[in-house]
mmCIF file of all heavy atoms in Angstrom:
data_model
loop_
_atom_site.group_PDB
_atom_site.id
_atom_site.type_symbol
_atom_site.label_atom_id
_atom_site.label_comp_id
_atom_site.label_asym_id
_atom_site.label_seq_id
_atom_site.Cartn_x
_atom_site.Cartn_y
_atom_site.Cartn_z
ATOM 1 N N ALA A 198 25.235 -15.023 -12.714
ATOM 2 C CA ALA A 198 24.915 -13.615 -12.446
ATOM 3 C C ALA A 198 24.517 -13.421 -10.998
ATOM 4 O O ALA A 198 24.772 -12.386 -10.395
ATOM 5 C CB ALA A 198 23.807 -13.139 -13.375
ATOM 6 N N GLY A 199 23.896 -14.445 -10.432
ATOM 7 C CA GLY A 199 23.550 -14.408 -9.026
ATOM 8 C C GLY A 199 22.529 -13.336 -8.671
ATOM 9 O O GLY A 199 21.821 -12.801 -9.517
ATOM 10 N N PHE A 200 22.487 -13.012 -7.366
ATOM 11 C CA PHE A 200 21.567 -12.013 -6.832
ATOM 12 C C PHE A 200 22.374 -11.065 -5.949
ATOM 13 O O PHE A 200 23.511 -11.353 -5.586
ATOM 14 C CB PHE A 200 20.467 -12.687 -6.009
ATOM 15 C CG PHE A 200 19.662 -13.699 -6.781
ATOM 16 C CD1 PHE A 200 20.064 -15.017 -6.852
ATOM 17 C CD2 PHE A 200 18.505 -13.329 -7.451
ATOM 18 C CE1 PHE A 200 19.334 -15.966 -7.567
ATOM 19 C CE2 PHE A 200 17.759 -14.260 -8.170
ATOM 20 C CZ PHE A 200 18.175 -15.577 -8.227
ATOM 21 N N GLY A 201 21.783 -9.940 -5.590
ATOM 22 C CA GLY A 201 22.477 -8.952 -4.771
ATOM 23 C C GLY A 201 22.852 -9.485 -3.397
ATOM 24 O O GLY A 201 22.291 -10.466 -2.906
ATOM 25 N N ALA A 202 23.798 -8.794 -2.750
ATOM 26 C CA ALA A 202 24.331 -9.244 -1.459
ATOM 27 C C ALA A 202 23.268 -9.304 -0.374
ATOM 28 O O ALA A 202 23.341 -10.144 0.526
ATOM 29 C CB ALA A 202 25.466 -8.317 -1.024
ATOM 30 N N SER A 203 22.289 -8.410 -0.436
ATOM 31 C CA SER A 203 21.269 -8.411 0.610
ATOM 32 C C SER A 203 20.283 -9.560 0.457
ATOM 33 O O SER A 203 19.481 -9.822 1.354
ATOM 34 C CB SER A 203 20.498 -7.084 0.605
ATOM 35 O OG SER A 203 19.868 -6.868 -0.641
ATOM 36 N N TRP A 204 20.339 -10.263 -0.673
ATOM 37 C CA TRP A 204 19.386 -11.349 -0.941
ATOM 38 C C TRP A 204 19.991 -12.721 -0.687
ATOM 39 O O TRP A 204 19.256 -13.670 -0.424
ATOM 40 C CB TRP A 204 18.911 -11.277 -2.399
ATOM 41 C CG TRP A 204 18.312 -9.969 -2.758
ATOM 42 C CD1 TRP A 204 18.894 -8.955 -3.472
ATOM 43 C CD2 TRP A 204 17.013 -9.493 -2.419
ATOM 44 N NE1 TRP A 204 18.043 -7.893 -3.596
ATOM 45 C CE2 TRP A 204 16.874 -8.194 -2.963
ATOM 46 C CE3 TRP A 204 15.947 -10.052 -1.712
ATOM 47 C CZ2 TRP A 204 15.725 -7.446 -2.819
ATOM 48 C CZ3 TRP A 204 14.784 -9.297 -1.560
ATOM 49 C CH2 TRP A 204 14.689 -8.010 -2.108
ATOM 50 N N THR A 205 21.289 -12.882 -0.799
ATOM 51 C CA THR A 205 21.937 -14.190 -0.643
ATOM 52 C C THR A 205 23.106 -14.073 0.322
ATOM 53 O O THR A 205 24.245 -14.417 -0.013
ATOM 54 C CB THR A 205 22.424 -14.729 -2.005
ATOM 55 O OG1 THR A 205 23.274 -13.743 -2.622
ATOM 56 C CG2 THR A 205 21.267 -15.034 -2.931
ATOM 57 N N THR A 206 22.843 -13.588 1.513
ATOM 58 C CA THR A 206 23.896 -13.394 2.503
ATOM 59 C C THR A 206 24.584 -14.719 2.808
ATOM 60 O O THR A 206 23.932 -15.687 3.206
ATOM 61 C CB THR A 206 23.306 -12.830 3.808
ATOM 62 O OG1 THR A 206 22.627 -11.616 3.518
ATOM 63 C CG2 THR A 206 24.394 -12.566 4.830
ATOM 64 N N PRO A 207 25.896 -14.807 2.614
ATOM 65 C CA PRO A 207 26.584 -16.075 2.898
ATOM 66 C C PRO A 207 26.667 -16.343 4.396
ATOM 67 O O PRO A 207 26.703 -15.420 5.211
ATOM 68 C CB PRO A 207 27.971 -15.859 2.298
ATOM 69 C CG PRO A 207 28.166 -14.378 2.292
ATOM 70 C CD PRO A 207 26.807 -13.782 2.083
ATOM 71 N N LEU A 208 26.687 -17.603 4.736
ATOM 72 C CA LEU A 208 26.810 -18.036 6.130
ATOM 73 C C LEU A 208 27.879 -19.117 6.180
ATOM 74 O O LEU A 208 27.762 -20.140 5.487
ATOM 75 C CB LEU A 208 25.466 -18.578 6.626
ATOM 76 C CG LEU A 208 25.360 -18.918 8.109
ATOM 77 C CD1 LEU A 208 25.402 -17.645 8.953
ATOM 78 C CD2 LEU A 208 24.071 -19.687 8.399
ATOM 79 N N ASP A 209 28.923 -18.870 6.963
ATOM 80 C CA ASP A 209 30.029 -19.824 7.076
ATOM 81 C C ASP A 209 30.615 -20.176 5.711
ATOM 82 O O ASP A 209 30.999 -21.330 5.454
ATOM 83 C CB ASP A 209 29.568 -21.099 7.787
ATOM 84 C CG ASP A 209 29.050 -20.824 9.192
ATOM 85 O OD1 ASP A 209 29.558 -19.880 9.820
ATOM 86 O OD2 ASP A 209 28.137 -21.536 9.639
ATOM 87 N N GLY A 210 30.645 -19.197 4.820
ATOM 88 C CA GLY A 210 31.268 -19.403 3.518
ATOM 89 C C GLY A 210 30.388 -20.047 2.470
ATOM 90 O O GLY A 210 30.861 -20.329 1.363
ATOM 91 N N HIS A 211 29.126 -20.294 2.784
ATOM 92 C CA HIS A 211 28.212 -20.924 1.830
ATOM 93 C C HIS A 211 26.954 -20.071 1.663
ATOM 94 O O HIS A 211 26.570 -19.313 2.559
ATOM 95 C CB HIS A 211 27.799 -22.324 2.303
ATOM 96 C CG HIS A 211 28.941 -23.278 2.447
ATOM 97 N ND1 HIS A 211 29.555 -23.879 1.367
ATOM 98 C CD2 HIS A 211 29.593 -23.729 3.546
ATOM 99 C CE1 HIS A 211 30.518 -24.670 1.786
ATOM 100 N NE2 HIS A 211 30.576 -24.587 3.112
ATOM 101 N N VAL A 212 26.306 -20.230 0.509
ATOM 102 C CA VAL A 212 24.998 -19.614 0.270
ATOM 103 C C VAL A 212 23.942 -20.684 0.489
ATOM 104 O O VAL A 212 24.043 -21.789 -0.067
ATOM 105 C CB VAL A 212 24.897 -19.045 -1.160
ATOM 106 C CG1 VAL A 212 23.472 -18.603 -1.470
ATOM 107 C CG2 VAL A 212 25.861 -17.875 -1.327
ATOM 108 N N TYR A 213 22.937 -20.354 1.297
ATOM 109 C CA TYR A 213 21.906 -21.329 1.640
ATOM 110 C C TYR A 213 20.511 -20.942 1.128
ATOM 111 O O TYR A 213 19.574 -21.721 1.282
ATOM 112 C CB TYR A 213 21.832 -21.515 3.158
ATOM 113 C CG TYR A 213 22.995 -22.285 3.737
ATOM 114 C CD1 TYR A 213 24.101 -21.621 4.250
ATOM 115 C CD2 TYR A 213 22.991 -23.680 3.774
ATOM 116 C CE1 TYR A 213 25.178 -22.326 4.795
ATOM 117 C CE2 TYR A 213 24.047 -24.391 4.305
ATOM 118 C CZ TYR A 213 25.141 -23.707 4.813
ATOM 119 O OH TYR A 213 26.200 -24.413 5.342
ATOM 120 N N TRP A 214 20.379 -19.740 0.575
ATOM 121 C CA TRP A 214 19.062 -19.330 0.098
ATOM 122 C C TRP A 214 19.201 -18.291 -1.002
ATOM 123 O O TRP A 214 20.254 -17.674 -1.178
ATOM 124 C CB TRP A 214 18.219 -18.773 1.240
ATOM 125 C CG TRP A 214 18.844 -17.630 1.985
ATOM 126 C CD1 TRP A 214 18.871 -16.307 1.622
ATOM 127 C CD2 TRP A 214 19.535 -17.695 3.243
ATOM 128 N NE1 TRP A 214 19.528 -15.548 2.558
ATOM 129 C CE2 TRP A 214 19.946 -16.376 3.570
ATOM 130 C CE3 TRP A 214 19.833 -18.735 4.127
ATOM 131 C CZ2 TRP A 214 20.648 -16.083 4.730
ATOM 132 C CZ3 TRP A 214 20.539 -18.434 5.285
ATOM 133 C CH2 TRP A 214 20.941 -17.126 5.582
ATOM 134 N N PHE A 215 18.115 -18.116 -1.755
ATOM 135 C CA PHE A 215 18.053 -17.102 -2.798
ATOM 136 C C PHE A 215 16.600 -16.676 -2.942
ATOM 137 O O PHE A 215 15.675 -17.408 -2.557
ATOM 138 C CB PHE A 215 18.596 -17.637 -4.136
ATOM 139 C CG PHE A 215 17.732 -18.701 -4.756
ATOM 140 C CD1 PHE A 215 16.734 -18.378 -5.668
ATOM 141 C CD2 PHE A 215 17.905 -20.031 -4.413
ATOM 142 C CE1 PHE A 215 15.927 -19.358 -6.224
ATOM 143 C CE2 PHE A 215 17.109 -21.021 -4.962
ATOM 144 C CZ PHE A 215 16.118 -20.681 -5.873
ATOM 145 N N PRO A 216 16.333 -15.485 -3.497
ATOM 146 C CA PRO A 216 14.952 -14.993 -3.586
ATOM 147 C C PRO A 216 14.233 -15.469 -4.849
ATOM 148 O O PRO A 216 14.767 -15.367 -5.951
ATOM 149 C CB PRO A 216 15.133 -13.473 -3.611
ATOM 150 C CG PRO A 216 16.458 -13.289 -4.285
ATOM 151 C CD PRO A 216 17.314 -14.455 -3.878
ATOM 152 N N LEU A 217 13.046 -15.995 -4.662
ATOM 153 C CA LEU A 217 12.166 -16.242 -5.800
ATOM 154 C C LEU A 217 11.308 -15.013 -6.075
ATOM 155 O O LEU A 217 10.966 -14.716 -7.206
ATOM 156 C CB LEU A 217 11.267 -17.454 -5.513
ATOM 157 C CG LEU A 217 10.195 -17.775 -6.560
ATOM 158 C CD1 LEU A 217 10.829 -18.032 -7.924
ATOM 159 C CD2 LEU A 217 9.351 -18.955 -6.131
ATOM 160 N N LYS A 218 10.997 -14.280 -5.019
ATOM 161 C CA LYS A 218 10.116 -13.113 -5.126
ATOM 162 C C LYS A 218 10.643 -12.032 -4.205
ATOM 163 O O LYS A 218 11.108 -12.319 -3.105
ATOM 164 C CB LYS A 218 8.693 -13.517 -4.728
ATOM 165 C CG LYS A 218 7.698 -12.384 -4.546
ATOM 166 C CD LYS A 218 6.358 -12.958 -4.100
ATOM 167 C CE LYS A 218 5.316 -11.875 -3.814
ATOM 168 N NZ LYS A 218 5.633 -11.117 -2.591
ATOM 169 N N ALA A 219 10.617 -10.788 -4.658
ATOM 170 C CA ALA A 219 11.087 -9.664 -3.853
ATOM 171 C C ALA A 219 10.016 -8.576 -3.806
ATOM 172 O O ALA A 219 9.159 -8.491 -4.685
ATOM 173 C CB ALA A 219 12.374 -9.091 -4.446
#
Side-chain angles (χ1 to χ4, degrees):
F200 302 88
S203 59
W204 304 102
T205 55
T206 303
L208 187 69
D209 300 328
H211 299 284
V212 171
Y213 287 95
W214 56 81
F215 68 92
L217 175 59
K218 170 182 177 289

